Amino acid sequence: MEHVPPPAEELALLDRELAQLDARRAQLLTRRAWLVAALQPKAPDAPRWSTPPLGHGWAPTQPWGAVPKAAKPSAPRSAQNVLLTLGGLLLTVAAVAFTLVSWGSMGIGGRAAVLALVTVAALAAPALLLRRKLAATAEAVAALALVLTLLDAYAIHAVATPDADGLTFTAIASAVLAALWAAYGLSLDKLHLPLPAAVFFVQWPLLLGAWAAGAPALVVGWALLATAVVDGAIVLWGKGLGVRVTAGIGLVVMGSAALLTGLGESLTADSPLGAVLPGLLLLTAAVAALAGAWRAPSGYAQLGGAVAGLAAVAAVGGVLRAAVPGAWHVPVYLLCGLALLSVVRARLPRTAGRGVLLASGAVVAGSLVWALPGVAAVLLGPVQLVAEVWAGAPDGFRGALGEAMAWSELAAAPLVLAVVAGGLGAAYRRWPTLVRLAAPLGAPGVKARDAAGAGALALGWGAVLLAAATLGVPYPVAVALETVLVAGLLAVAVLGAGGREAGSGAADAAAAGVGATGAAGSGSGGAAGGSEPYAGTAGAGVGAGGAAGRGGPSAVAVTALVLAVGGAVSLGLLSLAAEAATYAVLGALTVLFAGAALRTRPVVEQAVLAVAAVVWGTALTGCVAGSLGLAPHEAAPLLLVVPAVTVLLGARLRNHPVALPVELAGGVGALVAIGLAAPRAPYLALVLALCGVLAAGAAVRPERRPVAGYLAAVLFVTATWVRLAASEVSAPEAYTLPVTVPALVIGALRRRKDPEASSWTAYGPGLGATLLPSLAVAWGDPDWPRPLLLGVAALVITLLGAKYRLQAPLLLGGAVLALVTLHELAPYVVQVAGALPRWLPPALAGLLLLAVGATYEQRLRDARKLKDMLGRMR
């Protein structure tokens, strides 16, 4: 019986054998490297290789003799290439010099004989060199022969046919050279230069011939197109990378020039009949591009399909364009671009069909680029009404937008937007059918469906606005129309956010159905010979996309919300023309956004709607102040109505996620009120005090107390200072001490009840109410009693803070004491500084910096200790 070791033992045995094999392989590779190096040609003074000593073992890590590193194999080849290049350049320069300089010193027979002999020799030499396997030398000589043939052509024109037209001669010479180098390259197929050179020469005969004959632009376009077709054939069936690359460059250049020529002639045609011939050129280019795309690799096939689609649109659209007025040119091209969508029913290769669809999308995008500036003008035009609020209702919608836009030229823009919106809407509603039709070209996913719905909504909204502007509807009609549009968008946003899950589930079900259909089609196609190889994969992809999109955000709802907010801002600006319109619009917007916030469920959308409602309410309050004829500082207290409502609403909502955004929006309104009251100190003190009351009301709630409590204290103290400064009080202590004493007593009671309470909450407001106003007065007081008393009080407060480890008394007292001391010592410091030499302060500063730098680590540790000590204080 054969012994079978345990798995662990067998694994160890295999590892040892593999290690031995690796070691043996390393030895053999090292020996091989030594042999290769020994066989390399050596310099005369190089040391001779020694042989391994007999009777001694040989270790691969200890080679005998001096083993230099083997030279890189590419080094001789690089040196050879440099030498051949330099030699070819020198011969070329010599040939050019001979042709241009020494040509005239010889007779006609000698000239022809010398140049012909040199050219024939240069053409014949590569064949002999290739037989000796000197390919690089043969390439260099072939390059020289190429230059010589060009010089031959120049010499023939300069001497034999000096009166011939230059363009005609160049065209003929290019054709001859193309034929010559094509035959030469085919006969010597190991050379890489001749065939690309032949392709280069092929680019010029037709173009230069048409140019020399004075042909019209269309004939030149046909010449360019024919050359591009030849290039395309070479790209598809040519041999060698250099040939295909050269032909590809020629295809791009000549094809683009042909298409631009046809497009230019089509756009400048005065009649449909005049656009037929350019259209025929463009259609031929489209057919040629599509034929090439049918046989090209995937990436180039998609590009060819796109070029074919664009050329077809330009051809047909150019004929139709000449039959309609100028304002309707873009819709004509748009309809032609949409007609390309019928490619989904054509049996084209997948990539070529995608290219045609890309061309259709490019035409649609170009049409939208032409139409969307009008929508932007409608939305941004009312900004000019801010400078003349309530100046009176304009004559019409255009009057409110300004006359900068040429509205007559945009008469067809609403139609363009409506057509595209209708197409996207139809795709959104009949998505399973669309996916089934587009399956051979790669079915789109569910995200594309959401994008189509969002695009249909946005473009439809823009079409309605732009139509109202181009038609010049009356101002009240425009205001009512925009209000209705905002209401409709809010309804879509609310319904779309509420039906998000259901919509995703329906999309998933549709995608799954399409996936099953695609799978069945794939199976039947495979049985029939694979005529529909992409149906099953497309359906499966759609099903996967639907599954991936489950529960995601609704693009339609988000788009509706964004459009509603943007439209509301434009509508609010538009309503500034008339007072009644302003009240009606702002009131309606407040109600609409508040109602939408109550009806929607997602938190983000609800917060955006609620904040917008607060903004419109604040704007409405400002309009009330304007109607009452109040100055800005007088209107500031009235603007606090909305912040007060937001505080009450926040108390009602409590921990709801929307409560904080609503209160912050109200706080922004309070900041606006403070800014309006700033020029008048009494009103500013009143507004600050009212804001303090609102902050204190918010601090009643435990979740708002850490922030709102401090904010209320700061606002109250600041209001007190502003009020004292407005009253020009020279002894603020008479007003602040009656507040400070009770505040400190209340703080002490708070600390006794809750020893963990912060000293800033307990003592900060009371101390700040007296210390800071007194410091402001003492800083400008030329007498000594006030600074002395304030300094003594600050010193006592600082010592008490240090004794009881209270942060607020320590920092406030210390800061006030330092500032009072600086104020008192400042005159003496100035005198001493004036008496010192000018160089001494910089020197002292430098010494201080050196000292700090030398003890930086210790100072850093001291600062950290101080920070930790202050952090431990209450």
Side-chain angles (χ1 to χ4, degrees):
M1 296 178 63
E2 184 178 356
H3 172 68
V4 178
E9 183 179 349
E10 184 178 2
L11 178 62
L13 180 62
L14 292 176
D15 289 340
R16 286 195 297 272
E17 291 182 358
L18 290 174
Q20 293 175 2
L21 290 175
D22 291 338
R24 181 57 179 166
R25 176 180 172 80
Q27 293 175 0
L28 294 176
L29 289 175
T30 306
R31 178 61 178 172
R32 180 183 182 278
W34 185 87
L35 293 172
V36 170
L39 293 175
Q40 291 289 336
K42 298 177 288 295
D45 56 346
R48 299 183 61 84
W49 292 96
S50 61
T51 58
L54 298 176
H56 293 274
W58 170 66
T61 57
Q62 298 176 356
W64 57 86
V67 184
K69 293 184 178 180
K72 294 183 179 180
S74 60
R77 179 71 63 181
S78 301
Q80 180 187 22
N81 292 337
V82 171
L83 293 176
L84 291 175
T85 303
L86 291 176
L89 287 176
L90 291 175
L91 289 175
T92 303
V93 171
V96 172
F98 168 76
T99 304
L100 298 179
V101 178
S102 301
W103 186 259
S105 61
M106 300 178 64
I108 184 64
R111 301 172 189 173
V114 171
L115 195 56
L117 180 61
V118 173
T119 304
V120 170
L123 290 173
L128 299 176
L129 293 172
L130 287 176
R131 291 179 183 177
R132 297 180 176 272
K133 297 183 179 180
L134 300 174
T137 308
E139 291 286 352
V141 176
L144 174 62
L146 175 62
V147 176
L148 289 174
T149 53
L150 293 175
L151 294 175
D152 288 337
Y154 167 77
I156 292 173
H157 177 61
V159 177
T161 59
D163 298 330
D165 180 64
L167 289 176
T168 304
F169 182 84
T170 305
I172 297 174
S174 299
V176 173
L177 289 175
L180 171 64
W181 282 99
Y184 188 74
L186 293 175
S187 61
L188 298 177
D189 54 356
K190 293 184 179 181
L191 293 178
H192 301 290
L193 180 63
L195 289 179
V199 174
F200 173 77
F201 288 126
V202 164
Q203 312 302 315
W204 308 109
L206 294 179
L207 174 62
L208 296 179
W211 195 358
L218 274 179
V219 177
V220 175
W222 282 105
L224 292 169
L225 180 59
T227 305
V229 170
V230 174
D231 289 330
I234 296 174
V235 169
L236 291 176
W237 294 295
K239 295 182 179 180
L241 180 61
V243 173
R244 292 196 297 270
V245 170
T246 306
I249 296 173
L251 173 62
V252 172
V253 175
M254 297 298 177
S256 301
L259 291 173
L260 292 176
T261 302
L263 180 62
E265 293 295 313
S266 178
L267 292 177
T268 56
D270 297 331
S271 63
L273 186 60
V276 170
L277 292 179
L280 183 61
L281 172 62
L282 293 171
L283 280 179
T284 306
V287 173
L290 195 59
W294 203 289
R295 298 171 177 82
S298 59
Y300 299 103
Q302 188 166 339
L303 178 60
V307 171
L310 293 175
V313 169
V316 179
V319 176
L320 299 178
R321 176 204 64 85
V324 298
W328 297 90
H329 289 173
V330 174
V332 166
Y333 286 104
L334 174 62
L335 294 177
C336 295
L338 293 176
L340 292 178
L341 296 177
S342 60
V343 73
V344 297
R345 295 183 177 273
R347 299 184 64 83
L348 289 177
R350 183 181 223 183
T351 50
R354 285 181 178 176
V356 177
L357 291 180
L358 286 177
S360 177
V363 175
V364 172
S367 303
L368 294 179
V369 169
W370 172 77
L372 288 179
V375 180
V378 173
L379 293 176
L380 301 179
V383 174
Q384 64 177 348
L385 298 176
V386 176
E388 298 179 358
V389 178
W390 297 347
D395 296 335
F397 194 15
R398 294 183 183 179
L401 301 177
E403 300 297 336
M405 290 293 294
W407 297 106
S408 59
E409 298 179 1
L410 295 175
L415 178 61
V416 170
L417 296 176
V419 169
V420 179
L424 293 176
Y428 180 76
R429 297 294 297 175
R430 301 178 61 84
W431 190 255
T433 304
L434 176 62
V435 170
R436 186 163 53 252
L437 290 174
L441 302 180
V446 175
K447 290 185 178 180
R449 179 180 185 268
D450 293 339
L457 181 64
L459 295 177
W461 170 71
V464 175
L465 290 179
L466 191 54
T470 54
L471 294 176
V473 298
Y475 175 76
V477 175
V479 173
L481 177 63
E482 291 204 30
T483 306
V484 172
L485 287 177
V486 171
L489 290 171
L490 290 176
V492 173
V494 172
L495 295 176
R500 177 177 299 175
E501 295 294 336
S504 299
D508 296 340
V514 174
T517 304
S522 178
S524 61
S531 59
E532 295 290 343
Y534 304 109
T537 57
V542 175
R550 183 179 292 110
S554 173
V556 176
V558 174
T559 303
L561 180 60
V562 173
L563 295 178
V565 174
V569 173
S570 178
L571 175 59
L573 294 174
L574 182 65
S575 67
L576 296 178
E579 184 176 1
T582 302
Y583 280 106
V585 167
L586 293 181
L589 291 178
T590 304
V591 173
L592 287 173
F593 277 86
L598 293 175
R599 293 297 301 273
T600 191
R601 290 293 175 267
V603 175
V604 176
E605 288 84 344
Q606 192 176 28
V608 172
L609 293 169
V611 169
V614 172
V615 172
W616 305 133
T618 304
L620 184 61
T621 307
C623 292
V624 172
S627 298
L628 295 176
L630 301 178
H633 62 276
E634 296 173 338
L638 185 60
L639 291 179
L640 296 178
V641 173
V642 175
V645 174
T646 59
V647 171
L648 297 175
L649 186 59
R652 177 68 180 273
L653 295 174
R654 292 190 177 274
N655 294 325
H656 195 281
V658 180
L660 181 59
V662 169
E663 293 180 79
L664 291 177
V668 173
L671 289 177
V672 173
I674 293 174
L676 293 176
R680 298 294 182 91
Y683 281 93
L684 179 59
L686 174 61
V687 171
L688 289 173
L690 293 176
C691 291
V693 172
L694 296 178
V700 174
R701 298 155 53 195
E703 67 273 10
R704 297 286 185 264
R705 189 171 301 153
V707 176
Y710 289 112
L711 181 60
V714 171
L715 288 172
F716 281 133
V717 172
T718 307
T720 303
W721 300 342
V722 173
R723 180 69 262 182
L724 294 176
S727 301
E728 298 181 355
V729 174
S730 59
E733 294 81 5
Y735 300 91
T736 57
L737 283 176
V739 177
T740 296
V741 174
L744 293 178
V745 172
I746 295 174
L749 295 176
R750 169 74 186 279
R751 288 274 301 171
R752 180 178 298 178
K753 183 178 179 180
D754 182 14
E756 298 298 324
S758 173
S759 62
W760 289 100
T761 304
Y763 304 118
L767 294 175
T770 295
L771 288 178
L772 297 181
S774 298
L775 177 63
V777 176
W779 194 262
D781 192 350
D783 297 329
W784 60 270
R786 184 187 300 278
L788 177 62
L789 294 176
L790 181 60
V792 171
L795 177 61
V796 172
I797 292 171
T798 303
L799 294 176
L800 290 175
K803 179 179 180 181
Y804 294 103
R805 303 181 64 82
L806 298 176
Q807 193 178 101
L810 178 63
L811 295 181
L812 280 175
V816 172
L817 179 61
L819 291 175
V820 169
T821 304
L822 178 62
H823 175 264
E824 295 302 314
L825 295 179
Y828 303 103
V829 172
V830 172
Q831 292 178 3
V832 172
L836 292 175
R838 295 295 178 90
W839 55 268
L840 188 58
L844 295 176
L847 291 175
L848 178 62
L849 292 177
L850 289 176
V852 173
T855 61
Y856 175 75
E857 295 295 334
Q858 182 62 37
R859 302 287 78 78
L860 190 60
R861 288 192 293 269
D862 294 342
R864 289 172 179 169
K865 290 180 181 179
L866 178 60
K867 177 185 176 182
D868 295 339
M869 181 187 68
L870 290 176
R872 289 192 296 269
M873 290 185 177
R874 302 302 302 173

